[in-house]
């Protein structure tokens, strides 16, 4: 009996030695794994997600789902994966540059703890620039953002998962940069071919199939008549704007075209075969309906009107400088002198108001002081800081020394 028990004990020790003594560890490991698994399931069950959908208006790729289709797909995906969606936020804006309001709203909700995860169709829906991508990865690092889910992309909140996510964001940015470069290359080639790579000016229309610009048989005749009326003299910019308005030329709101836009049209060298694009001139191959002689007459009349305007007999400071921001008509000024009997003195008041020659306008006359304050604010927003002055003077002196050498 002793001998049999001894052999059984020895065999048991040999089996444990043969299995490297893992029998007990294996059981412990199994219990630990089950505990972790149940814990993970419990955390995942309590996790809340925000569904974010985006499609930019400038994305030509038909492979990208519409916002409605993305919402439907994400809801189906959430149902399959037992994910709780607390909000669905969509946005029709490009992700090439930072500054998407709805995307920032998603990040704020994550930061406040209203949700712990984001659900989106693909990483390129979240970011196509390094700043937004960096924000997401930083939130993952800090633990405020615990998970990202994509039906078309694998992600796990681990160092490897964040590395793969960074690569996905980098690929999205590369796609945008490469697409931009290809577009610019195509634009340069069109210019070399003598074709304007933009919307056709008045009197012309874009041929989308051929990629060319052709004469609009109806509008070209109206515009040519406007050129002739202006060249003959006796017509102001406002008169020409109203003539075009009566014949169907309006702005986006259906109102008469603004004076600045009319001036650009009357001085556009495209009508004599010269394309101005990106600060350079190119020879165009489009057909013309405005002769060089008529165009020159218009430019001559243009200069006469600009030279003679404004009729500033009172030498008002802002006459001829400003157009109405509401309707686009000229701003005129008037000087009023009022006599006060009580103090036996005269006071001079200057007011500026819209001429309202382009139609109805709700703007009321304002004193010169108020107008000056408005202009001062506009200029102060773009003026160079005074602290830069010393640097500019130093650079100027340096350039003068270099030129003398």
């Amino acid at each position: 009996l002793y001998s049999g028990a001894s052999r059984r004990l020895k065999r048991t020790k040999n089996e444990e030695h043969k299995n490297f003594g893992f029998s007990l560890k294996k059981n412990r490991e199994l219990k630990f794994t089950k505990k972790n698994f149940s814990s993970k399931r419990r955390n995942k069950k309590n996790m809340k997600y925000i569904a974010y959908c985006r499609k930019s208006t400038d994305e030509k790729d038909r492979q990208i789902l519409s916002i409605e289709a993305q919402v439907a797909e994400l809801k189906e995906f959430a149902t399959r994966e037992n994910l709780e969606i607390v909000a669905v936020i969509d946005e029709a804006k490009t992700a090439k540059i930072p500054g998407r309001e709805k995307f920032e709203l998603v990040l704020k909700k994550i930061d406040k703890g209203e949700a712990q995860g984001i659900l989106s169709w693909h990483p390129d829906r979240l970011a196509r620039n390094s700043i937004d991508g960096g924000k997401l990865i930083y939130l993952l690092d800090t633990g405020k953002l615990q998970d990202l889910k994509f039906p078309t992309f694998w992600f796990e909140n681990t160092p490897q998962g964040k590395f793969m996510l960074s690569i996905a964001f980098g690929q999205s940015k590369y796609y945008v940069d490469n697409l931009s470069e290809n577009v610019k290359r195509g634009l340069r080639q069109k210019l070399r071919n003598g074709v304007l790579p933009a919307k056709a000016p008045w009197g012309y229309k874009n041929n989308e199939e051929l990629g060319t610009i052709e004469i609009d048989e109806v509008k070209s005749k109206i515009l040519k008549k406007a050129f002739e009326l202006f060249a003959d003299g006796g017509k102001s910019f406002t008169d020409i704007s109203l003539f075009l308005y009566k014949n169907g030329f309006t702005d986006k709101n259906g109102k008469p075209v603004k004076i600045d836009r009319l001036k650009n049209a009357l001085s556009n060298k495209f009508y004599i075969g010269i394309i101005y694009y990106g600060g350079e001139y190119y020879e165009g191959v489009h057909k013309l309906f405005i002769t060089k002689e008529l165009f020159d007459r218009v430019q001559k009349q243009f200069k006469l009107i600009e030279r003679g305007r404004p009729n500033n007999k009172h030498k008002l400071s802002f006459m001829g400088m400003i157009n109405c921001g509401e309707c686009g008509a000229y701003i005129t000024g008037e000087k009023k002198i009022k006599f006060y009997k009580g103090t036996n003195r005269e006071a001079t008041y200057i007011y500026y108001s819209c001429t309202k020659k382009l139609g109805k306008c709700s703007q009321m006359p304002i004193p010169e002081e108020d107008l000056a304050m408005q202009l001062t604010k506009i200029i102060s927003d773009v003026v160079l800081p005074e602290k830069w002055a010393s640097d500019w003077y130093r650079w100027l002196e340096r350039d003068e020394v270099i030129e003398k050498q």
Side-chain angles (χ1 to χ4, degrees):
L1 291 174
Y2 176 78
S3 177
S6 178
R7 284 197 299 270
R8 284 196 297 271
L9 180 60
K10 188 176 181 181
R11 187 169 58 250
T12 302
K13 288 183 177 181
N14 288 338
E15 286 178 356
E16 288 183 358
H17 179 72
K18 188 176 182 180
N19 294 327
F20 301 99
F22 285 168
S23 57
L24 182 60
K25 291 183 179 179
K26 189 173 182 180
N27 292 334
R28 289 179 179 174
E29 185 179 357
L30 181 62
K31 288 182 181 180
F32 179 74
T33 304
K34 286 183 178 179
K35 184 178 180 181
N36 277 353
F37 181 72
S38 60
S39 176
K40 285 183 178 180
R41 288 191 63 180
R42 187 161 55 250
N43 291 339
K44 187 174 181 180
K45 188 176 180 181
N46 296 332
M47 193 177 296
K48 298 178 181 179
Y49 290 81
I50 296 175
Y52 177 79
C53 306
R54 181 190 66 81
K55 183 169 184 179
S56 174
T57 54
D58 60 358
E59 285 177 327
K60 307 299 182 184
D61 191 356
R62 296 183 180 179
Q63 301 291 331
I64 298 174
L65 296 177
S66 65
I67 289 179
E68 294 78 10
Q70 289 181 47
V71 172
E73 290 286 341
L74 292 182
K75 286 183 177 180
E76 290 181 6
F77 179 77
T79 302
R80 291 196 305 269
E81 299 293 325
N82 295 322
L83 305 178
E84 181 184 357
I85 297 178
V86 295
V88 177
I89 298 177
D90 60 80
E91 192 165 30
K93 197 169 185 180
T94 181
K96 291 186 291 187
I97 56 176
R100 288 171 288 152
E101 293 82 3
K102 298 293 184 65
F103 178 74
E104 294 295 333
L105 177 62
V106 172
L107 298 187
K108 287 181 181 179
K109 287 181 176 291
I110 295 293
D111 190 57
K112 291 179 180 178
E114 297 179 19
Q116 296 78 39
I118 298 175
L119 178 61
S120 191
W121 178 250
H122 189 273
D124 64 6
R125 301 299 88 201
L126 295 176
R128 284 189 183 273
N129 66 83
S130 55
I131 294 179
D132 289 340
K135 288 180 180 179
L136 289 169
I137 293 176
Y138 178 75
L139 287 174
L140 289 168
D141 289 339
T142 58
K144 292 184 177 180
L145 177 61
Q146 298 179 21
D147 194 19
L148 292 171
K149 289 291 185 183
F150 310 99
T152 59
F153 184 84
W154 171 87
F155 172 77
E156 192 175 57
N157 193 2
T158 62
Q160 294 83 358
K162 286 184 280 190
F163 175 69
M164 296 302 296
L165 183 66
S166 300
I167 292 176
F169 287 149
Q171 287 177 329
S172 300
K173 187 178 186 308
Y174 169 75
Y175 171 80
V176 171
D177 294 344
N178 191 48
L179 180 63
S180 175
E181 187 59 36
N182 290 337
V183 169
K184 291 178 181 177
R185 189 184 304 114
L187 296 180
R188 290 194 295 267
Q189 186 58 42
K190 289 193 75 172
L191 289 167
R192 294 189 196 102
N193 295 337
V195 180
L196 177 67
K199 185 179 179 181
W202 294 345
Y204 288 91
K205 60 183 179 181
N206 294 92
N207 188 325
E208 299 294 342
E209 295 181 359
L210 300 177
T212 58
I213 292 179
E214 301 174 352
I215 294 176
D216 188 316
E217 298 297 335
V218 177
K219 292 187 176 181
S220 62
K221 294 177 181 178
I222 299 172
L223 189 64
K224 184 176 181 180
K225 182 63 177 177
F227 268 74
E228 292 172 347
L229 289 173
F230 188 78
D232 291 339
K235 298 290 184 181
S236 65
F237 293 117
T238 303
D239 295 333
I240 301 300
S241 177
L242 293 175
F243 168 78
L244 292 173
Y245 177 69
K246 292 177 182 177
N247 288 276
F249 284 79
T250 63
D251 62 9
K252 294 181 180 180
N253 299 320
K255 296 181 179 181
V257 294
K258 294 188 176 182
I259 302 301
D260 289 340
R261 192 178 175 194
L262 176 61
K263 287 181 178 180
N264 291 334
L266 292 175
S267 59
N268 191 350
K269 293 185 178 181
F270 183 88
Y271 294 109
I272 56 173
I274 300 174
I275 298 174
Y276 180 75
Y277 190 89
E280 297 182 10
Y281 290 96
Y282 302 86
E283 184 177 355
V285 296
H286 53 278
K287 295 182 180 180
L288 308 178
F289 62 88
I290 301 292
T291 64
K292 180 69 164 57
E293 183 269 336
L294 176 58
F295 186 82
D296 290 340
R297 285 172 54 205
V298 167
Q299 304 317 303
K300 185 177 180 180
Q301 186 65 22
F302 199 111
K303 291 178 181 179
L304 288 174
I305 292 178
E306 289 294 295
R307 189 183 305 163
R309 189 179 62 84
N311 184 15
N312 195 0
K313 63 180 180 180
H314 295 298
K315 296 182 180 180
L316 302 180
S317 302
F318 305 119
M319 277 285 287
M321 295 175 56
I322 309 169
N323 290 78
C324 177
E326 180 177 335
C327 68
Y330 281 123
I331 296 295
T332 186
E334 58 179 333
K335 181 183 289 187
K336 292 185 178 181
I337 300 176
K338 187 173 182 180
F339 179 75
Y340 293 91
K341 295 182 179 179
T343 57
N344 193 27
R345 67 180 181 88
E346 288 183 349
T348 301
Y349 300 96
I350 299 175
Y351 291 89
Y352 290 87
S353 61
C354 176
T355 58
K356 302 183 180 180
K357 289 187 177 181
L358 292 180
K360 293 182 179 179
C361 182
S362 63
Q363 297 300 315
M364 302 297 292
I366 62 172
E368 186 177 49
E369 294 79 8
D370 294 348
L371 181 59
M373 289 178 63
Q374 292 184 24
L375 291 173
T376 301
K377 184 180 183 306
I378 293 172
I379 295 172
S380 63
D381 290 339
V382 297
V383 71
L384 294 175
E386 291 186 6
K387 61 182 181 180
W388 291 8
S390 58
D391 293 332
W392 283 101
Y393 280 122
R394 188 175 69 254
W395 295 335
L396 181 61
E397 293 174 356
R398 180 197 63 190
D399 292 342
E400 289 176 352
V401 172
I402 294 174
E403 288 180 359
K404 291 179 181 179
Q405 293 175 351

